[in-house]
Amino acid sequence: MNNSMINSSVTMRSLQQKLDMVANNLANLNTVGYKRQDASFQDVLTSVKQQPGGFEKQGRLSPLGYNQGWGARLVQAQLNMAQGSLKPTGESLDLAIEGDGLFEINNVVRDANNSLTTQTAWTRNGSFQLSQSTDPADPDLFLMTKDGQYVMGTDDSPIRLPANSSVNIESDGTIFASDEADKSAAPIEVGQIKMVRVLRPQLLQQLGDNMYSVPANAANREDILQTVDTGNNAVDPISVRQGFLEQSNVTLADEMTDLLQVQKAFQLNSRAVSSSDTMMGIANNLRNG
């Protein structure tokens, strides 16, 4: 009875974590560039319970002993990098990535001393805008996210654009700016958006606001994220689509199916706990009687 209660209680805790993941996926059904999370489970421990020799009868093919489980635990929450649908917006600064890539940005955060510091982060959300520099003497504009993070270029610097210019972005992320005041002037190349390829999505750390980072204890960032360049973009190409935004890859029908399965499994294990408690109460009453 105790084994049944331990098995069920351990499994219920893992199912609650899976339920939280499903709820998070559903909450981000309409979040631009969101990637759903998938859960992986494994046995906590499996032991072999030996049976008396009397169980060994003539003609029995299965060996003595039976496996006894001690519940399941959630071992990994992995990002599903499946491509989401692309929605046309007509906005020149709305970008969508095709392939297992991420935009690199500089995220401004507060450290333990409440001081502002920059932190490299990555995102699939390509809803960008042009913002002025904090220096009044600097007339250039910067390509930034809606929350004010700088979009980084392949030269590891924020991307600058001249004021009063229109933007054309190639599939490799190269940005050309045209002078709106002089239509006859040829477009000038102002930079190239830096993108990385996700090699091991299960190791990415979620920061919130649809941003990801590499854990501080990671031995080598290149084992998790690989910088996209002309040399490694031919086999598994990653490209940019201007005027589009990638929608979430969450499918409502799949999430509702997972939700029902988790609820049924949780209900089954809760009944097992209740049954074990009832049996222990009966045994306790018999002993007292």
Side-chain angles (χ1 to χ4, degrees), residues 38-213:
D38 294 327
S40 298
F41 295 88
Q42 73 177 22
D43 292 337
V44 174
L45 178 66
T46 301
S47 57
V48 178
K49 198 76 171 180
Q50 295 297 331
Q51 296 169 315
F55 278 82
E56 188 171 6
K57 302 295 183 181
Q58 185 177 1
R60 175 171 176 166
L61 300 180
S62 59
L64 292 179
Y66 61 91
N67 291 333
Q68 183 178 39
W70 295 90
R73 67 186 182 98
L74 190 147
V75 294
Q76 183 173 279
Q78 179 172 337
L79 288 178
N80 186 328
M81 296 298 295
Q83 182 75 44
S85 61
L86 301 186
K87 179 181 178 181
T89 64
E91 298 291 336
S92 61
L93 296 180
D94 284 345
L95 306 178
I97 292 181
E98 290 184 314
D100 294 341
L102 296 170
F103 296 112
E104 184 168 310
I105 62 175
N106 254 354
N107 182 30
V108 179
V109 297
R110 291 191 178 273
D111 58 18
N113 298 322
N114 202 30
S115 300
L116 292 177
T117 181
T118 57
Q119 177 186 17
T120 302
W122 294 268
T123 183
R124 291 280 291 197
N125 187 351
S127 180
F128 299 141
Q129 63 183 8
L130 293 178
S131 297
Q132 291 183 338
S133 170
T134 55
D135 184 2
D138 189 351
D140 287 345
L141 301 176
F142 288 93
L143 186 63
M144 306 179 74
T145 67
K146 298 295 185 182
D147 295 325
Q149 290 92 13
Y150 292 101
V151 180
M152 304 302 291
T154 52
D155 59 353
D156 292 327
S157 298
I159 296 177
R160 290 174 173 264
L161 292 99
N164 301 319
S165 61
S166 59
V167 176
N168 182 51
I169 302 175
E170 302 291 332
S171 61
D172 63 351
T174 302
I175 302 177
F176 292 91
S178 300
D179 190 352
E180 288 292 295
D182 186 3
K183 300 292 185 180
S184 61
I188 58 173
E189 182 177 340
V190 295
Q192 184 178 8
I193 298 175
K194 185 176 182 179
M195 295 178 290
V196 295
R197 176 181 286 105
V198 182
L199 302 179
R200 303 176 71 181
Q202 70 274 15
L203 297 183
L204 287 178
Q205 184 178 18
Q206 290 188 310
L207 298 177
D209 295 328
N210 210 9
M211 295 187 298
Y212 309 99
S213 69

